[in-house]
Amino acid sequence: MEEISERVNGNDNRFNLPVLTISAKTGWMTQEDRFSGDISGKQKKNYTLLHKGELSYNHGNSKVAKYGAVFSLQNYSEALIPHVYHSFKIIKETTPVFIENFFKKKDVNKQLRKYISSSARMDGLLNISYSDFMKVHLFISQKISETKQIDKIFEILNSLLSLQQRKLELMKQLYRYLLENLNTEKKHPNIFIKGNYSHWNKVKLSDLGEIRTGKTPTPSVRSNYTNIGMPFVTPTEIVDLYNYNTSRFISNSGLKKAQIAPKGSILVTCIASIGKNTCVFKEKVAFNQQINAVTPNSFNDSTFLAFKSLQWSKRIDCLTANTAMQIINKKDFSNIETMVPNLNEQKDISKIWLKSYSLTYKYSDAKKLIIRLKKFLLQNLFI
């Protein structure tokens, strides 16, 4: 590092510039955005003036970056940054973006670890001096054109990632809006679907279908469980309305002591983890005593009730708010009242909810793929 860079410190007494800080996860942020205010105080006079293209090493310990993070200033022409950062500029043979990406490689942590004299201080900073930081060895291309090509790859990836994140945020907003406005505990929702203007009727959950409370076959009896039997769902395995990852399965002998929910049932957590609900969409499952299952009758749509169950959970939360442990028994659960439209309207609303839910996951998966590609390239484009 010391062969290709030069230290940056001090300022020129202009204190009206943007005051930035480094987040290991997102990079440069204004102190207002990160801390809801400028926290520099009297220390601002000691802050470092950083120009566009110059870099800083935040040697703060965090879950995201155990040995700190390096970022180049790209979105500001000038800024003031904490003087505790190790700031520097590139003077030959490479680019700031290349250096920033190099330090995102996990391999570089082996070098940083050698120079850290002790664990994190009280202020969260790692004990690594500027001179020791400069001893880090880099492998850079002798052709600046090749370095710039690599920079371009990551520039495109970062743009894709930003766009995908924006799409995901907007889709989540749309999903929440549709969920709130096509769902109601009144006679009509806030928005209508063309052709559907029926009055919603107040019913008890017991009117929607059959309600069962789960059971747990004795865990100490090994013969009750197997590696490939019927999935056994507890609140711990519930991820969201259409995702549950079971770690245990019920054997044929265990099924005699279990409670079974057919495909299409809605599993509603009624003890402790209120709000963890899911729909049995693949195959029938067994479930434990923390859960009540609602198996819809022919007058109700499974998907509609799955999304509707989020409102039931809010009601359960209110009913059990003052208890030592949140719990509602089968009788009280069955008597909870809710508003539902006719079956055709339920199905139409379900299509909209399910489409927005599916798109949210599609965009989330696309974002994860870009992140994985970026990690792969970081490990393979840098020696």
Side-chain angles (χ1 to χ4, degrees), residues 27-273:
W28 291 107
M29 297 177 67
T30 64
Q31 289 192 354
E32 285 82 0
D33 287 341
R34 190 170 187 192
F35 305 115
S36 300
D38 186 336
I39 63 169
S40 58
K42 294 180 180 179
Q43 288 298 316
K44 186 184 281 190
K45 64 182 181 181
N46 299 320
Y47 270 38
T48 300
L49 172 60
L50 206 68
H51 297 90
K52 186 173 183 178
E54 295 176 341
L55 303 100
S56 286
Y57 169 48
N58 174 8
H59 48 110
N61 171 271
S62 69
K63 290 181 179 178
V64 176
K66 187 176 180 180
Y67 297 99
V70 172
F71 285 95
S72 62
L73 189 66
Q74 296 295 328
N75 296 327
Y76 296 84
S77 59
E78 296 177 308
L80 292 172
I81 60 141
H83 70 283
V84 293
Y85 293 171
H86 296 331
S87 299
F88 57 99
K89 61 183 178 181
I90 301 303
I91 56 175
K92 61 179 180 179
E93 295 181 354
T94 190
T95 66
V97 174
F98 184 90
I99 299 300
E100 177 183 320
N101 285 320
F102 181 88
F103 275 93
K104 289 176 182 175
K105 279 190 61 172
K106 290 185 178 179
D107 292 358
V108 80
N109 289 342
K110 296 175 184 177
Q111 293 192 63
L112 292 170
R113 189 166 56 229
K114 287 193 304 183
Y115 300 118
I116 293 170
S117 58
S118 63
S119 58
R121 305 184 326 219
M122 291 295 289
D123 57 7
L125 293 174
L126 298 165
N127 283 303
I128 178 170
S129 67
Y130 177 83
S131 59
D132 282 338
F133 175 64
M134 285 292 113
K135 293 176 185 176
V136 170
H137 287 272
L138 305 172
F139 296 91
I140 60 177
S141 172
Q142 293 182 346
K143 295 180 179 179
I144 192 69
S145 58
E146 182 181 352
T147 301
K148 288 181 177 180
Q149 286 175 342
I150 293 174
D151 288 352
K152 187 65 178 178
I153 290 171
F154 285 99
E155 180 187 337
I156 293 169
L157 280 173
N158 288 333
S159 296
L160 274 173
L161 199 53
S162 296
L163 288 170
Q164 200 61 46
Q165 177 62 32
R166 182 60 179 153
K167 284 172 67 176
L168 178 59
E169 289 170 357
L170 290 172
M171 197 65 240
K172 284 181 177 179
Q173 287 180 31
L174 178 60
Y175 170 66
R176 285 193 295 267
Y177 180 83
L178 292 170
L179 201 56
E180 290 168 3
N181 289 279
L182 281 172
N183 202 352
T184 185
E185 288 303 320
K186 296 181 274 188
K187 289 185 177 180
H188 297 291
N190 292 334
I191 54 178
F192 294 94
I193 299 173
K194 185 178 179 181
N196 286 315
Y197 295 97
S198 69
H199 285 283
W200 289 39
N201 300 309
K202 182 182 286 187
V203 298
K204 293 180 178 180
L205 297 191
S206 56
D207 297 325
L208 300 175
E210 185 179 356
I211 296 176
R212 303 176 179 88
T213 299
K215 298 177 183 177
T216 299
T218 307
S220 58
V221 179
R222 284 186 162 186
S223 60
N224 286 334
Y225 298 89
T226 180
N227 294 325
I228 54 172
M230 181 179 292
F232 181 62
V233 180
T234 73
T236 303
E237 280 83 34
I238 294 175
V239 179
D240 58 34
L241 283 179
Y242 278 89
N243 281 290
Y244 46 87
N245 299 316
T246 53
S247 57
R248 288 188 293 174
F249 299 85
I250 304 296
S251 66
N252 288 333
S253 59
L255 287 177
K256 298 174 183 177
K257 306 151 195 170
Q259 186 68 271
I260 310 301
K263 180 180 177 180
S265 298
I266 296 88
L267 305 184
V268 182
T269 302
C270 293
I271 298 177
S273 303

